[in-house]
Amino acid sequence: MFKKRKKKIPTEAEKERGKELLFSLKILMNLLFALLIFQVFIILPRPDDPELDYYSLNQIFSGNLDKLMVMFVGLILIVTYWLQINRQLGNLIRSSVFHAAIAITQMFCLMLYIYFVRFDMEFDGLEIALQMQSVFLALSGFLGVYNWVYARRHKLTSDAINDQEERRMLFQLLPEPSAALFSLPFAAMGPEEWTLSFLIIIPLTYIFNKVGNRK
């Protein structure tokens, strides 16, 4: 029958290349997140918009409260994912081509999320735009979960983090994509209901943290 394949032990050269790849990945991730945060702030009313001549500063922001809320929620989610990815990468000793490819795909999903945020702004709560935001937020989060599992299985994690901490990290990554998935059907009800559905993240965070802290 089939022979059991032995797990390939990386050579010293492969380990060194993995370390260099991890370093490059960290730089790329931070640059991409900086770009995402910049894209979020572009949602704000432009100072060179001719319509702004007719309003006071207070009227400008009160009249664009929906845009401010979208920007605020988007900024919180982007910063949350940035902290998660940096925490993951900070607990690795090296990367691999496959691991780096998944991380970049995760960033691609976040970029598409921001695209549909702006799409939502242009078409005032269009259902498909809300659904795509949920889909790409969930995809990005679950790709991060998968990448952490992959890193653990392929011994990419640092010896400084023990099995219990690795397991806890796994459960800490689950609330955001789970909340995004939960919000998907609420897009059909309207933007307000869809936004409020993300509050499920509060009990989900508590539950996943309790599970992750079990020995």
Coordinates of all heavy atoms in Angstrom, one line a residue, residues 26-43 71 74-75 78-79 82 86 104 107-108 110-115 118:
K26 N 6.7 41.2 6.5 CA 6.3 42.2 7.5 C 6.3 43.6 7.0 O 5.3 44.4 7.2 CB 7.3 42.1 8.7 CG 7.1 40.9 9.6 CD 8.2 40.9 10.7 CE 8.0 39.7 11.6 NZ 9.0 39.7 12.7
I27 N 7.3 44.0 6.2 CA 7.4 45.3 5.6 C 6.2 45.5 4.6 O 5.5 46.5 4.6 CB 8.7 45.5 4.8 CG1 9.9 45.5 5.9 CG2 8.7 46.8 4.0 CD1 11.3 45.6 5.2
L28 N 6.0 44.5 3.8 CA 4.9 44.6 2.8 C 3.5 44.7 3.5 O 2.7 45.6 3.1 CB 4.9 43.3 1.9 CG 3.8 43.3 0.8 CD1 3.9 44.4 -0.1 CD2 3.8 41.9 0.1
M29 N 3.3 44.0 4.5 CA 2.0 44.0 5.2 C 1.8 45.4 5.8 O 0.7 46.0 5.7 CB 2.0 43.0 6.4 CG 1.9 41.6 5.9 SD 0.3 41.2 5.2 CE 0.8 40.7 3.6
N30 N 2.8 46.0 6.4 CA 2.7 47.3 7.0 C 2.4 48.4 6.0 O 1.6 49.3 6.2 CB 3.9 47.6 7.9 CG 3.9 46.9 9.2 OD1 2.9 46.9 9.9 ND2 5.0 46.3 9.6
L31 N 3.1 48.3 4.8 CA 2.9 49.2 3.8 C 1.4 49.1 3.2 O 0.8 50.2 3.0 CB 3.9 49.0 2.6 CG 5.3 49.4 2.9 CD1 6.2 49.0 1.8 CD2 5.4 50.9 3.1
L32 N 0.9 47.9 3.1 CA -0.4 47.7 2.5 C -1.5 48.2 3.5 O -2.5 48.8 3.1 CB -0.6 46.2 2.2 CG 0.1 45.7 1.0 CD1 -0.1 44.2 0.8 CD2 -0.3 46.4 -0.3
F33 N -1.2 48.0 4.8 CA -2.2 48.5 5.8 C -2.2 50.0 5.9 O -3.2 50.6 6.1 CB -1.9 47.9 7.2 CG -2.6 46.6 7.5 CD1 -1.9 45.4 7.5 CD2 -3.9 46.6 7.7 CE1 -2.6 44.2 7.7 CE2 -4.6 45.4 7.9 CZ -3.9 44.2 7.9
A34 N -1.0 50.6 5.7 CA -0.9 52.1 5.6 C -1.7 52.6 4.5 O -2.5 53.6 4.6 CB 0.5 52.5 5.5
L35 N -1.7 51.9 3.3 CA -2.5 52.3 2.2 C -3.9 52.1 2.4 O -4.8 53.0 2.1 CB -2.0 51.4 1.0 CG -2.8 51.6 -0.3 CD1 -2.6 53.0 -0.8 CD2 -2.4 50.6 -1.4
L36 N -4.3 51.0 3.1 CA -5.7 50.8 3.5 C -6.3 51.9 4.4 O -7.4 52.4 4.2 CB -5.9 49.5 4.1 CG -5.9 48.2 3.2 CD1 -6.0 47.0 4.0 CD2 -7.0 48.3 2.2
I37 N -5.5 52.3 5.4 CA -5.9 53.4 6.3 C -6.1 54.7 5.5 O -7.0 55.4 5.8 CB -4.9 53.5 7.5 CG1 -5.0 52.2 8.3 CG2 -5.2 54.7 8.3 CD1 -4.0 52.2 9.4
F38 N -5.2 54.9 4.6 CA -5.3 56.1 3.8 C -6.5 56.1 2.9 O -7.2 57.1 2.8 CB -4.0 56.2 2.9 CG -4.1 57.3 1.8 CD1 -3.9 58.7 2.2 CD2 -4.4 57.1 0.5 CE1 -4.0 59.7 1.3 CE2 -4.4 58.1 -0.4 CZ -4.3 59.4 0.0
Q39 N -6.9 54.9 2.4 CA -8.1 54.8 1.6 C -9.3 55.0 2.4 O -10.3 55.6 1.9 CB -8.1 53.4 1.0 CG -7.1 53.1 -0.1 CD -7.4 54.0 -1.4 OE1 -8.6 54.2 -1.7 NE2 -6.4 54.5 -2.0
V40 N -9.3 54.6 3.7 CA -10.5 54.9 4.6 C -10.7 56.4 4.7 O -11.8 56.9 4.7 CB -10.2 54.2 5.9 CG1 -11.3 54.6 6.9 CG2 -10.3 52.7 5.8
F41 N -9.6 57.1 4.9 CA -9.7 58.6 5.2 C -10.2 59.3 3.9 O -10.7 60.5 4.0 CB -8.4 59.1 5.7 CG -8.3 59.0 7.2 CD1 -7.6 57.9 7.8 CD2 -8.9 59.9 8.1 CE1 -7.6 57.8 9.1 CE2 -8.8 59.8 9.4 CZ -8.1 58.7 10.0
I42 N -10.0 58.7 2.7 CA -10.4 59.4 1.5 C -11.9 59.5 1.5 O -12.5 60.3 0.7 CB -9.9 58.6 0.3 CG1 -8.4 58.8 0.1 CG2 -10.6 59.0 -1.0 CD1 -7.8 58.1 -1.0
I43 N -12.6 58.6 2.3 CA -14.1 58.7 2.3 C -14.6 60.0 2.8 O -15.7 60.5 2.5 CB -14.6 57.5 3.2 CG1 -14.3 56.2 2.6 CG2 -16.1 57.6 3.5 CD1 -14.6 55.0 3.5
M71 N -16.5 55.4 7.9 CA -15.1 55.5 8.0 C -14.6 55.0 9.4 O -13.6 54.3 9.5 CB -14.7 57.0 7.9 CG -13.2 57.2 7.8 SD -12.7 58.9 8.3 CE -12.9 58.8 10.0
G74 N -14.9 51.1 9.5 CA -13.9 50.6 8.6 C -12.5 50.7 9.2 O -11.7 49.8 9.1
L75 N -12.2 51.9 9.8 CA -10.9 52.1 10.5 C -10.7 51.1 11.6 O -9.6 50.6 11.7 CB -10.9 53.5 10.9 CG -9.5 54.0 11.4 CD1 -8.5 53.9 10.3 CD2 -9.6 55.4 11.9
I78 N -10.0 47.6 10.1 CA -8.7 47.6 9.5 C -7.6 47.5 10.5 O -6.6 46.7 10.4 CB -8.5 48.8 8.5 CG1 -9.4 48.6 7.3 CG2 -7.0 48.8 8.1 CD1 -9.2 47.4 6.5
V79 N -7.7 48.4 11.6 CA -6.7 48.4 12.6 C -6.7 47.1 13.4 O -5.6 46.5 13.8 CB -6.9 49.6 13.6 CG1 -6.0 49.5 14.8 CG2 -6.6 50.9 12.9
W82 N -4.9 44.6 11.3 CA -3.5 44.9 11.3 C -2.8 44.4 12.6 O -1.7 43.8 12.5 CB -3.3 46.5 11.2 CG -1.9 46.9 11.3 CD1 -0.9 46.7 10.4 CD2 -1.3 47.6 12.4 NE1 0.3 47.3 10.8 CE2 0.1 47.8 12.1 CE3 -1.8 48.1 13.6 CZ2 0.9 48.5 12.9 CZ3 -0.9 48.8 14.4 CH2 0.4 49.0 14.1
N86 N 0.1 41.5 12.6 CA 1.4 41.8 13.1 C 1.7 40.9 14.3 O 2.8 40.5 14.5 CB 1.5 43.2 13.6 CG 1.9 44.1 12.4 OD1 3.1 44.2 12.2 ND2 1.0 44.7 11.7
I104 N -0.8 37.5 1.6 CA -1.0 38.5 0.6 C -2.4 38.4 0.1 O -3.1 39.4 -0.1 CB 0.0 38.4 -0.5 CG1 1.4 38.8 0.0 CG2 -0.4 39.3 -1.7 CD1 2.5 38.5 -1.0
M107 N -4.6 40.2 2.5 CA -4.6 41.6 2.2 C -5.5 42.0 1.0 O -6.1 43.0 1.0 CB -3.2 42.1 2.1 CG -2.3 42.0 3.3 SD -3.0 43.0 4.6 CE -3.1 44.6 3.8
F108 N -5.4 41.2 0.0 CA -6.2 41.4 -1.2 C -7.7 41.5 -0.8 O -8.5 42.3 -1.3 CB -5.9 40.3 -2.2 CG -6.7 40.5 -3.5 CD1 -6.4 41.5 -4.4 CD2 -7.7 39.6 -3.9 CE1 -7.1 41.7 -5.6 CE2 -8.4 39.7 -5.1 CZ -8.1 40.8 -5.9
L110 N -9.0 42.3 2.1 CA -9.2 43.5 2.8 C -9.3 44.7 1.8 O -10.1 45.7 2.1 CB -8.1 43.8 3.8 CG -8.2 42.9 5.1 CD1 -7.0 43.2 6.0 CD2 -9.5 43.2 5.9
M111 N -8.5 44.7 0.8 CA -8.6 45.8 -0.2 C -9.9 45.8 -0.9 O -10.5 46.8 -1.2 CB -7.4 45.6 -1.2 CG -6.1 46.0 -0.6 SD -4.8 45.7 -1.9 CE -3.4 46.3 -0.9
L112 N -10.4 44.6 -1.2 CA -11.7 44.5 -1.8 C -12.8 44.9 -0.9 O -13.9 45.5 -1.3 CB -12.0 43.0 -2.3 CG -11.2 42.6 -3.6 CD1 -11.4 41.1 -3.8 CD2 -11.7 43.4 -4.8
Y113 N -12.6 44.7 0.4 CA -13.6 45.1 1.4 C -13.7 46.7 1.4 O -14.8 47.2 1.3 CB -13.2 44.7 2.8 CG -13.8 45.5 3.9 CD1 -15.1 45.4 4.2 CD2 -13.0 46.4 4.7 CE1 -15.7 46.2 5.2 CE2 -13.5 47.2 5.7 CZ -14.9 47.1 6.0 OH -15.4 47.8 7.0
I114 N -12.5 47.4 1.3 CA -12.5 48.8 1.2 C -13.2 49.3 -0.1 O -13.9 50.3 -0.1 CB -11.1 49.4 1.4 CG1 -10.5 49.1 2.8 CG2 -11.0 50.9 1.1 CD1 -11.3 49.8 3.9
Y115 N -12.9 48.6 -1.1 CA -13.6 48.9 -2.4 C -15.1 48.9 -2.3 O -15.8 49.8 -2.8 CB -13.1 47.9 -3.5 CG -13.9 48.0 -4.8 CD1 -13.7 49.1 -5.7 CD2 -14.9 47.1 -5.1 CE1 -14.4 49.2 -6.8 CE2 -15.6 47.2 -6.3 CZ -15.4 48.3 -7.1 OH -16.1 48.4 -8.3
R118 N -16.6 51.9 -0.3 CA -16.7 53.1 -1.2 C -17.9 52.9 -2.1 O -18.6 53.8 -2.4 CB -15.4 53.4 -1.9 CG -14.3 53.6 -1.0 CD -13.1 54.3 -1.6 NE -13.4 55.6 -1.9 CZ -12.6 56.4 -2.6 NH1 -11.5 56.0 -3.1 NH2 -13.0 57.7 -2.9

